[in-house]
Amino acid sequence: MKLLACTCLALLVSASASGQTGETFKVGTAAATRGQTAYGAIEVPAGSDAALSIPVAVVHGARPGPVLAIVSGAHGTEYASIIAVERLIQQLDAKAIAGTVILVPLVNVPSFEQKVPHVNPIDGKSMNRFYPGKADGTQTERASFLITREVVDRCDHLIDLHGGDLDESLRPYSYWNKTGNEKLDAASREIALAFGLDTIIISADRPKDPAASRYLENTATTRGKASLTAEAGHAGTVEPEDVDALVNGSISVMRHLKMLEGAARPVQSPVWIERISAITSEATGIFTPLVKRGTYVAQGMKVGYLTDYLGRPLSEIRAPDAGVVLYIRAVPSMTKGETIANIGIVSR
Ligand SMILES: [Zn+2]
């Protein structure tokens, strides 16, 4: 009896992972029949803190095909990425799609509503650091647990969209998550190229254990699913070129996966970033940048300076390595130990 139960469960799991679940595809309360878009929520029950309702749309294509998850808003003030997924929900026509798209535009609703960057204000945790989550943890952990079960386990591929947060002036880039599994890495690389952003970070240091995957995209790759993270947007803005980059990138990946008609538009000669050199502030004070996001800097170049609250010089901030400014602090507030800028070291 026990053996039978196990077999049935295995069958169910493999059926849902391949997306061939038949005529209806349900995520949370959103149940779409073939050729339709359904709207609903992933309901995170109350536990040690409040319940959370995470909006989800399911675009269940008229024809069978892969299941792609597109998630944004783990950081609820990275607005360009959230608006991009809102636009995808409007644009995608289930009748024209082969396969299924699970769209989660705003994971961190409390961050969005309270305009709190980086973390979920309910428990003070980043909503992209606690995967695969815990059913009995705080709100972020319970939400991550349900997103793993309802979104990651159900999809074949995953795109996690981010951007510079309220205090980050960021130039667009994506990550290629390199796991050491050659076949998976090749598929993830193709997706990163298909997404089309011209700067790609080679991310080879993510945890390998699916039970301690930390990041959403890494939760997918540690479960054998080709995936990517992409970032565009900066400092609370919703610039059309940032939103377009994320929308068009997602559509190009869908074309690459043969979910949509038309040719993918992969980036031809991306800049590969082999390592990130973070500049950390050694003092608390007022930060003034001297370079813009996307600037190529030489080693030792002055990228900004710090003064105290009476304008007296505290320190000069210099680039520890040559590379591209992936993001730099967008606001004057600077606290000791915080990141001033990330310099991407270009792969030779
Ligand atoms: Zn983010």
Side-chain angles (χ1 to χ4, degrees):
M1 193 61 204
K2 204 169 182 186
L3 185 67
L4 187 65
C6 285
T7 311
C8 289
L9 187 63
L11 278 173
L12 272 172
V13 167
S14 74
S16 67
S18 69
Q20 309 303 322
T21 47
E23 292 308 299
T24 303
F25 197 102
K26 188 166 185 267
V27 178
T29 63
T33 54
R34 281 223 173 276
Q36 279 196 333
T37 296
Y39 306 86
I42 297 168
E43 300 292 355
V44 181
S48 58
D49 46 23
L52 174 65
S53 183
I54 300 173
V56 60
V58 175
V59 183
H60 196 26
R63 290 165 288 129
V67 179
L68 173 66
I70 304 177
V71 180
S72 66
H75 303 128
T77 46
E78 295 178 357
Y79 296 115
S81 59
I82 296 160
I83 299 306
V85 180
E86 300 292 347
R87 202 208 280 176
L88 281 166
I89 293 170
Q90 300 298 316
Q91 275 188 14
L92 293 178
D93 176 7
K95 291 181 179 59
I97 289 173
T100 306
V101 191
I102 304 169
L103 298 122
V104 183
L106 181 55
V107 170
N108 194 343
V109 179
S111 157
F112 181 87
E113 291 181 348
Q114 298 179 36
K115 299 170 285 296
V116 172
H118 305 297
V119 297
N120 176 353
I122 301 300
D123 57 14
K125 290 174 178 165
S126 167
M127 294 195 84
N128 195 28
R129 293 295 184 280
F130 288 86
Y131 284 96
K134 282 200 290 193
D136 60 352
T138 63
Q139 189 183 81
T140 292
E141 293 165 317
R142 297 196 307 280
S144 301
F145 175 81
L146 282 182
I147 290 170
T148 300
R149 196 182 76 188
E150 293 281 317
V151 179
V152 181
D153 287 348
R154 309 283 309 282
C155 75
D156 303 303
H157 307 283
L158 182 141
I159 298 174
D160 188 19
L161 297 181
H162 290 256
D165 216 320
L166 289 180
D167 55 354
E168 293 168 344
S169 186
L170 178 144
R171 65 97 67 227
Y173 53 84
S174 50
Y175 291 89
W176 171 34
N177 191 353
K178 207 175 164 189
T179 62
N181 170 342
E182 253 175 59
K183 200 174 156 207
L184 178 66
D185 291 350
S188 288
R189 187 177 185 276
E190 283 193 3
I191 288 180
L193 292 171
F195 197 86
L197 296 183
D198 65 3
T199 300
I200 304 174
I201 298 169
I202 303 167
S203 181
D205 55 356
R206 296 273 156 107
K208 307 280 189 252
D209 178 4
S213 52
R214 238 167 109 73
Y215 308 89
L216 175 60
E217 176 223 291
N218 196 48
T219 305
T221 46
T222 53
R223 283 159 178 75
K225 300 161 192 232
S227 304
L228 89 138
T229 301
E231 309 219 19
H234 54 99
T237 57
V238 185
E239 301 285 357
E241 61 263 37
D242 290 326
V243 177
D244 286 350
L246 298 177
V247 169
N248 295 340
S250 301
I251 287 171
S252 184
V253 168
M254 289 181 68
R255 288 180 169 143
H256 169 75
L257 296 171
K258 309 281 183 235
M259 299 175 75
L260 275 179
E261 297 282 325
R265 296 180 65 184
V267 56
Q268 294 303 316
S269 321
V271 171
W272 295 95
I273 303 294
E274 63 182 18
R275 185 169 64 82
I276 290 171
S277 178
I279 308 177
T280 305
S281 185
E282 288 169 4
T284 294
I286 298 173
F287 174 67
T288 304
L290 293 173
V291 294
K292 291 198 158 94
R293 61 200 175 96
T295 304
Y296 278 78
V297 294
Q299 187 179 30
M301 186 172 153
K302 196 168 158 185
V303 298
Y305 60 90
L306 206 63
T307 53
D308 69 10
Y309 296 144
L310 295 169
R312 294 171 292 186
L314 283 177
S315 62
E316 293 185 339
I317 318 297
R318 293 185 179 276
D321 297 279
V324 55
V325 177
L326 295 174
Y327 73 80
I328 187 160
R329 176 60 56 100
V331 297
S333 309
M334 183 58 70
T335 306
K336 186 178 176 181
E338 287 184 339
T339 303
I340 295 173
N342 264 2
I343 311 290
I345 314 298
V346 177
S347 181
R348 289 163 199 267

